[in-house]
Amino acid sequence: MLNSKSNKKKNLTESTVIEKFNGDNSMKFEELSILIVEDCHEELKKYILLAQNCGLIAYGASTFADAKQMLTFQNFDFLLTEVHLTKETQGVYNELGFEIIQFALVNQPQLTVLTMSQNMDRAIFEKAFALGTTHFLRKPITSADEIGIYIKSAAQKKLSLQSEDTLEVALNHYLNDNLYKIYKNGVIISSKHDKFLSGVAKNKKIPLVLFGETGTGKEEFAKILHKKRVELEGMIPFVTVNCPLLDNDLTNSLLFGHKKGAFTGANETTNGYVAAANNGILFLDEVQSLDIPTQRKLLRVLNDGSYSRVGDMRIIHSYFQLIVATTKDLDEEVEAGRMLADFKYRISGAELTLDPLRNRLDDLILFIAMFFKQEAISIQDELLKEIAFKCRKCYWKGNIRQLFRTLQRMLINSQLHEEDLNIHHLQLPNENIEKAKENEIKINTDSSLENTQCEMQLLNSLQHAFQTDHALNDLLDEIEKQILINAINRHNSIAKAHTGLGISRNAIDAKRKKYKI
Ligand SMILES: Nc1ncnc2c1ncn2[C@@H]1O[C@H](COP(=O)(O)OP(=O)(O)OP(=O)(O)O)[C@@H](O)[C@H]1O
């Protein structure tokens, strides 16, 4: 999945069916472009003209394949797609619009997506918003105003987000001076973390490891590091690799490229992600999912930049800054034999752990305010506070991503009921923070039971030592063993235990081996 815009070709191929209409450019949305996907030719033409009336530069695609091709070769500001498109080969209707949205947002994350359908079924509505749609249009669209209003609203949203200052002013009263930095795409980051990333941007040889639960913003942080490097050096590539999605058979070829003819179906020589990241950033998301042979191959390129394409003996080079993100404790991955110790050592560098949302409930109001700002919806302070208050009760397993989806659903509820937004439209995920805490306490109680047993054992050993003769080394070993077991139980993590005890990873590993812990 290449996110590097510089890799996008600007020219459309001859075979791509497109209809380009020049907008009159007199309105403020000039320069903004839209791709409209609709399989009925008549309707497509109508919508293109309506978009053109809004001053947009409009393109049309009438098939799934054309839409994908256009999204691959050209950047757009907006996408308006029908949900139900005829499948080219079988001639049946399918929810291909959703696939187009997914494809579009992977290739062009900056895109604003609008969806249209005759069917306002709740499931379709929700799915469209969950995938990233900002507006849903009910078909048939009969007047220019109807389409214009939505496109203008989306365009205004986009334009309002293009000013970092406006955002900062709007949210100022929720922010203490200089405690947070807000980026124009809505990403909120503490000034401390922002400075940390600025430091990493200046030291581009240092890898960055981002720890955190799902949805805490690891990918957003990686993108900020890229942005900071672009500010320092000009445009550089940013290549995201979603490691769990690497297909086993094709992993090598996707990462390192292949030579034409290297295997059946290798019709062209390809470069791969590693080459695409040259002089820029390679972001390995969920790095713990890489299998051992791939880790071994990556080790070499991480060591000295050298590697070979599949089916090619020649050594080529790529130099990039590595960012990895993970939800796991990498020491434990090494421990379990799922990660090579050398690989872990090689990818370690600057480290940042992103807190789960439940541990930063005071920031909720900031994220909620930002969400509505991005949606270009102004809500009363009172409602904002009510939402934040209610949200404090939730555990937020999916963190900021889940919070935003919940707020999106709140908007959908108000639209479905055709009511002004109010607190009753907010439906929290069914996970209560109190229950989750009870659970945590239960887990802690389990481990404290084990620790009580440890303490008893320790006291027994000491009593023995005072009452009878024993070899001193044996007694000290017994005491050390109990202390180690206690620390590992208490932290529920070997990495944290060795840090807590002030000894190295190697030292704790040696002692665990010795005492068979
Ligand atoms: N600091 C932030 N400010 C604003 N929005 C954020 C922030 N962090 C995360 N988000 C929102 O949450 C969504 C998920 O964030 P992101 O994909 O970066 O999380 P992640 O930790 O990489 O998750 P995963 O481990 O599942 O890949 C983002 O698309 C964004 O909408």
Side-chain angles (χ1 to χ4, degrees), residues 182-238:
I182 299 180
Y183 282 88
K184 67 181 176 197
N185 61 352
V187 172
I188 301 170
I189 167 169
S190 72
S191 300
K192 204 174 88 189
H193 283 166
D194 197 57
K195 279 200 193 111
F196 176 86
L197 291 181
S198 298
V200 180
K202 286 182 198 138
N203 293 285
K204 52 189 184 192
K205 287 197 175 145
I206 298 185
L208 172 65
V209 189
L210 295 164
F211 295 102
E213 292 179 9
T214 179
T216 45
K218 299 183 292 298
E219 185 163 354
E220 296 296 343
F221 272 52
K223 287 185 201 155
I224 290 176
L225 178 62
H226 176 240
K227 183 177 157 53
K228 285 183 183 291
R229 281 202 46 194
V230 169
E231 278 163 12
L232 292 172
E233 305 161 43
M235 200 55 201
I236 56 161
F238 178 75

Side-chain angles (χ1 to χ4, degrees), residues 16 25 34-35 49 99 159 179 203 213 254 260 283 345 379 410 430 438 441 448 455 461 512:
T16 312
N25 283 353
I34 184 167
L35 173 64
L49 285 170
E99 285 180 43
L159 289 176
L179 275 184
N203 293 285
E213 292 179 9
L254 287 170
K260 185 176 175 181
F283 173 47
Y345 168 72
I379 63 166
M410 182 180 183
N430 201 9
E438 269 170 32
I441 291 166
S448 56
E455 280 166 34
S461 309
R512 286 177 58 224

Side-chain angles (χ1 to χ4, degrees), residues 9 11 34 41 50 89 101 111 142 148 150 179 191 241 256 290 299 362 364 380 394 434 462 471 474 514:
K9 295 173 198 155
N11 297 330
I34 184 167
H41 269 275
L50 294 175
T89 44
I101 295 174
L111 204 63
T142 48
Y150 284 109
L179 275 184
S191 300
V241 182
F256 304 105
L290 288 175
L299 250 179
D362 288 343
L364 270 171
Q380 301 284 325
C394 190
E434 299 305 329
L462 282 172
D474 289 349
K514 175 176 172 188

Side-chain angles (χ1 to χ4, degrees), residues 466-502:
F466 288 131
Q467 290 166 0
T468 54
D469 283 338
H470 264 86
L472 183 61
N473 277 349
D474 289 349
L475 284 169
L476 292 177
D477 280 355
E478 184 56 33
I479 291 168
E480 189 175 56
K481 179 180 170 187
Q482 297 307 330
I483 289 174
L484 285 174
I485 295 176
N486 177 293
I488 294 166
N489 280 344
R490 203 157 24 87
H491 290 290
N492 204 13
S493 148
I494 290 158
K496 286 182 187 149
H498 81 74
T499 314
L501 291 170

Side-chain angles (χ1 to χ4, degrees), residues 397-431:
K397 246 192 271 174
N399 294 294
I400 305 169
R401 181 186 290 120
Q402 189 184 23
L403 171 71
F404 285 178
R405 288 207 175 140
T406 303
L407 297 173
Q408 194 75 62
R409 219 167 295 128
M410 182 180 183
L411 294 184
I412 294 172
N413 284 341
S414 93
Q415 285 177 22
L416 278 176
H417 294 112
E418 294 179 3
E419 288 170 355
D420 286 344
L421 191 69
N422 68 58
I423 192 69
H424 303 297
H425 297 133
L426 176 64
Q427 290 168 340
L428 289 180
N430 201 9
E431 11 144 321

Side-chain angles (χ1 to χ4, degrees), residues 324-341:
V324 302
T326 181
T327 48
K328 302 276 188 215
D329 178 333
L330 295 184
D331 282 329
E332 280 168 17
E333 293 304 295
V334 173
E335 190 67 30
R338 290 185 291 265
M339 183 171 280
L340 293 172

Side-chain angles (χ1 to χ4, degrees), residues 130-144:
L131 288 176
T133 287
T134 59
H135 290 85
F136 202 108
L137 283 71
R138 187 197 292 264
K139 282 173 62 182
I141 301 167
T142 48
S143 74

